[in-house]
């Protein structure tokens, strides 16, 4: 088909048993618009015939009106609007051989024909192009070979098909030990042809595939170049582990209990749970599906192939389920707690792929002791890989969480380039309070989220680490409760410019026990200088305030002298004000001198401080 040609041209392999392939030819797929642009006319949807013929002014046309014939060159075509006497008319104006302009109604003509055979052929080709664009028939491919004798030629290519799908059944018996995994492949025949006794292989993997437009002619887009003056202005899926501990951790003695193989709860039709026995009305046959032996399976590079042993027949537009696996698999029942805002963990199983085959990802329906237990989703598992699947809720176990955080004291202090870098830690402890109300022991897996910047500390160690969670395992005794703490720390650095710290803030760092004696002496020297600067600035502010007060008193004294000088009998008061002004001027001079001394001292202290900060390094 036309929509398969891109994949055919991308993947076609030709094997000629006695000759050489010199080339491949095939029906082209020129875009319709580009095909139609080659014609001197255009037939738009709903366009009247007069509008089409109007594009061919000058073309010679022969028309028949009953027994009469008319011939001439096309002058124009137009639509005559309807009036009260006549309906809308499709009219054509011709220049006849006698030189007359004659208007004719196209609706009255019984036939018309172009005398130019080229133009007549162009109309046929135009209509054929329109017909071909609507066709989805198969395209023809022609193989050119250097030999002409009879021989076998093999053509292989890929074509787009619906991906096959995996569906599994995990069947536990009454003992719950080593269940059987049954795999079915769902295939869909959308080729439009019957598959009759075909050999089929199913490939598991993730090869990269894409659509490359090889069938449609490729036209390079060209820029328009003109002279400037000519231009106008989305079930829980448990991920596989990425890290395992060096040695399996031993749980504390208080957590140790002997695990018992028990039957998981069973779900009734209305969603209720009956523990310990299959639910009446949902009992299923305990035996497995009676299926033919699966065909051979083998690795192909990074892929895995399942070969269906017997030929397969699938009618067109039908689908089929084909068994490709039925064998014992290593598994154990557990419960998994993943979501902290839920009370109950999930009934689950740990599967280890000891089948020797790659198991394609898909849904798993779990049967336990002859009853339906739930459903799960699993990612693709390579051989010897391990996955957890969760398929139901365990109401017999309740879990609550409590989070406690504290900030640890400064652990390290470093300094360079005028910056003080302190390292501290935020410690968080999450406690899982667990209660098993069932009269049977259980194995619990806690999935604790992996958080960026945090690492585990303390005695709790995971059995494995996935990209997004740590997994901790513990044994729950029957009718028992326990607490399980997980402690993490986030060590972080903070930077502070030494120049911005106050003497008191520096003393906090000076008293830190993690400092060396040499580093402590450096910070003490800087703190002493900053204290001297603070005292210097305080004294200068006091002197500035005193100067301002004396200046205001002088202004009032001068005003009094000015007002009393013209008053008789006030000379002694005026002299007293004058004497006080003289004393104030002397005091201001002394204060100005002290201001200068303080400014000089501050500059010296600041230079010493900058030098010490610049040399600060530990």
């Amino acid at each position: 088909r036309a929509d398969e040609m891109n994949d055919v041209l991308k993947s076609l392999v030709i094997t000629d048993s006695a000759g050489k392939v010199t080339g491949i030819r095939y029906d082209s797929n020129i875009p319709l618009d580009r095909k139609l642009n080659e014609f001197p006319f255009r037939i738009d949807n709903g366009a009247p015939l007069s509008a089409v013929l109007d594009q061919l002014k000058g073309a010679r046309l022969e028309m028949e009106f009953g027994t009469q014939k008319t011939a001439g060159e096309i002058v124009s075509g137009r639509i005559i609007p309807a009036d009260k006497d006549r309906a809308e008319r499709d009219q054509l104006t011709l220049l006849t051989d006698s030189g007359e302009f004659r208007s004719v109604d196209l609706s009255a003509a019984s036939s018309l024909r172009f005398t130019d055979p080229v133009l007549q052929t162009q109309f046929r080709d135009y209509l054929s192009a329109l017909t071909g664009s609507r066709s989805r028939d198969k395209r023809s491919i022609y193989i050119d070979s250097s030999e002409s004798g009879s021989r076998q030629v093999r053509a292989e290519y890929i074509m787009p098909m619906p991906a096959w799908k995996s569906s599994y059944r995990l069947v536990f018996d009454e003992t719950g030990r080593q269940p059987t995994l049954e795999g079915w492949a769902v295939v869909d025949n959308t080729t439009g042809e019957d598959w009759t006794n075909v050999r089929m292989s199913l490939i598991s993997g993730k090869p990269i595939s894409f659509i490359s437009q090889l069938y449609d002619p490729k036209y390079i887009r060209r820029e328009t170049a003109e002279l400037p003056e000519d231009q106008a202005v989305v079930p829980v899926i448990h991920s596989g582990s990425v890290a395992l501990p060096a040695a399996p951790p031993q749980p504390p003695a208080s957590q140790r209990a002997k695990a018992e193989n028990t039957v998981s709860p069973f779900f009734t039709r209305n969603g209720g749970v009956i523990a310990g026995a299959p639910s009446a009305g949902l009992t299923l046959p305990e035996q497995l599906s009676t299926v033919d032996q699966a065909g051979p399976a083998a690795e192909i590079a990074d892929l895995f192939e399942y070969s269906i042993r017997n030929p397969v027949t699938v009618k067109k537009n039908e689908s089929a389920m084909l068994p490709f696996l039925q064998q014992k698999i290593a598994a154990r029942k557990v419960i998994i707690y993943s979501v902290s805002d839920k009370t109950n963990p999930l009934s689950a199983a740990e599967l280890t792929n000891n089948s020797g085959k790659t198991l394609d990802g898909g849904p798993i329906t779990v049967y336990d002791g002859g009853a339906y237990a739930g459903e799960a989703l699993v990612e693709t598992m390579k051989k010897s890989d391990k996955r957890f699947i969760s398929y139901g809720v365990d109401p017999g176990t309740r879990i609550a969480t409590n989070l406690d955080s504290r900030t640890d004291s400064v652990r390290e202090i470093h300094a360079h380039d005028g910056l003080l870098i302190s390292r501290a830690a935020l410690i968080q402890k999450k406690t899982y309070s667990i209660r098993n109300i069932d009269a049977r022991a259980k194995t619990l897996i806690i999935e604790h989220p992996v958080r960026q910047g945090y690492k585990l500390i303390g005695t709790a160690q995971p059995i494995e680490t996935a990209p997004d969670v740590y997994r901790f395992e513990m044994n729950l005794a029957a009718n028992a409760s326990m607490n399980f703490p997980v402690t993490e720390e986030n060590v972080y650095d903070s930077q502070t410019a030494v120049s911005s710290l106050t003497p008191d803030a520096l003393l906090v760092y000076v008293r830190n026990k993690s400092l060396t004696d040499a580093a402590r002496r450096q910070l003490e020297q800087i703190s002493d200088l900053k204290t001297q600067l603070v005292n210097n600035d305080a004294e200068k502010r006091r002197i500035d305030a005193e100067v301002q007060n004396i200046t205001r008193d002088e202004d009032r004294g001068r005003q009094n002298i000015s007002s009393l000088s013209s008053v008789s009998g006030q000379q002694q008061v005026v002299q007293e004000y004058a004497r006080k002004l003289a004393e104030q001027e002397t005091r201001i001079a002394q204060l100005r001198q002290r201001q200068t001394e303080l400014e000089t001292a501050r500059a010296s202290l600041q230079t010493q401080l900058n030098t010490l900060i610049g040399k600060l390094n530990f």
Side-chain angles (χ1 to χ4, degrees), residues 135-206:
S135 174
R136 296 181 60 86
D137 293 339
K138 294 182 178 180
R139 300 296 193 255
S140 296
I141 296 180
Y142 309 92
I143 303 172
D144 294 333
S145 174
S146 60
E147 300 294 331
S148 59
S150 176
R151 61 196 183 279
Q152 189 177 56
V153 177
R154 181 182 179 90
E156 300 173 276
Y157 56 90
I158 67 169
M159 60 185 296
M161 287 286 293
W164 71 281
K165 303 170 284 287
S166 301
S167 176
Y168 298 95
R169 293 94 175 98
L170 181 64
V171 183
F172 288 96
D173 59 15
E174 292 290 351
T175 66
R177 296 185 177 91
Q178 197 174 17
T180 298
L181 186 65
E182 185 175 288
W184 292 78
V186 179
V187 295
D188 305 290
N189 181 2
T190 61
T191 61
E193 298 178 353
D194 292 341
W195 296 344
T196 304
N197 293 329
V198 298
R199 292 287 180 179
M200 182 176 295
S201 294
L202 308 172
I203 305 298
S204 174
K206 294 183 178 180

Side-chain angles (χ1 to χ4, degrees), residues 403-404 406 426-432 448 451 454-461 470 472 484-490:
L403 185 64
D404 180 31
R406 65 179 175 86
L426 176 64
I427 298 176
Q428 290 191 346
K429 182 173 73 172
K430 189 172 187 177
T431 302
Y432 294 85
H448 184 82
R451 297 186 295 167
Y454 284 82
K455 68 176 183 179
L456 295 173
I457 59 174
T459 58
Q461 293 298 319
Y470 301 107
F472 300 91
F484 183 77
V486 179
T487 306
E488 299 172 286
E489 69 172 2
N490 179 17

Side-chain angles (χ1 to χ4, degrees), residues 42-265:
R42 187 84 173 192
I43 305 178
D44 296 322
N45 291 336
L49 182 57
S50 60
V52 177
L53 297 178
D54 187 65
Q55 302 172 56
L56 301 174
K57 294 180 177 69
R60 185 171 179 79
L61 191 67
E62 292 182 350
M63 307 178 66
E64 292 186 2
F65 297 89
T67 58
Q68 296 182 357
K69 292 184 178 181
T70 299
E73 285 75 25
I74 298 174
V75 176
S76 66
R78 61 174 180 165
I79 293 291
I80 304 298
D83 54 28
K84 63 179 181 179
D85 297 325
R86 303 186 65 177
E88 182 181 83
R89 289 169 291 162
D90 206 10
Q91 193 175 84
L92 187 67
T93 300
L94 297 177
L95 177 61
T96 63
D97 295 339
S98 63
E100 294 178 329
F101 289 95
R102 183 176 178 184
S103 295
V104 295
D105 287 341
L106 290 175
S107 59
S110 58
S111 68
L112 55 87
R113 182 177 66 86
F114 292 105
T115 59
D116 183 357
V118 174
L119 190 56
Q120 193 76 20
T121 301
Q122 285 179 333
F123 260 89
R124 292 183 182 275
D125 293 343
Y126 190 100
L127 298 176
S128 296
L130 292 176
T131 301
S133 69
R134 295 191 297 269
S135 174
R136 296 181 60 86
D137 293 339
K138 294 182 178 180
R139 300 296 193 255
S140 296
I141 296 180
Y142 309 92
I143 303 172
D144 294 333
S145 174
S146 60
E147 300 294 331
S148 59
S150 176
R151 61 196 183 279
Q152 189 177 56
V153 177
R154 181 182 179 90
E156 300 173 276
Y157 56 90
I158 67 169
M159 60 185 296
M161 287 286 293
W164 71 281
K165 303 170 284 287
S166 301
S167 176
Y168 298 95
R169 293 94 175 98
L170 181 64
V171 183
F172 288 96
D173 59 15
E174 292 290 351
T175 66
R177 296 185 177 91
Q178 197 174 17
T180 298
L181 186 65
E182 185 175 288
W184 292 78
V186 179
V187 295
D188 305 290
N189 181 2
T190 61
T191 61
E193 298 178 353
D194 292 341
W195 296 344
T196 304
N197 293 329
V198 298
R199 292 287 180 179
M200 182 176 295
S201 294
L202 308 172
I203 305 298
S204 174
K206 294 183 178 180
I208 295 175
S209 184
F210 52 87
I211 295 175
S212 185
Q213 296 295 341
L214 299 176
Y215 185 41
D216 294 339
K218 183 177 182 180
Y219 299 95
I220 303 299
R221 187 178 67 86
R222 296 179 296 166
E223 297 292 340
T224 300
E226 298 179 357
L227 294 174
E229 59 267 23
D230 295 336
Q231 295 179 359
V233 177
V234 158
V236 178
I237 300 178
H238 300 278
S239 55
S241 63
V242 295
L244 298 173
Q250 295 295 325
S254 61
Q255 300 177 17
R256 296 174 188 168
K258 183 177 179 181
E260 300 177 0
N261 288 304
T262 57
V263 180
S264 296

Side-chain angles (χ1 to χ4, degrees), residues 359-374:
L359 301 181
D360 199 61
I364 297 180
T365 301
V366 181
Y367 299 101
D368 199 338
Y372 170 77

Side-chain angles (χ1 to χ4, degrees), residues 93 139 280 292 317 439 442 444 517 532 552 593 599 610:
T93 300
R139 300 296 193 255
D292 194 12
N317 300 323
K442 301 175 184 178
L444 171 64
D517 291 339
Q532 295 179 46
R552 286 194 294 269
Q593 178 64 30
E599 291 173 354
N610 293 340

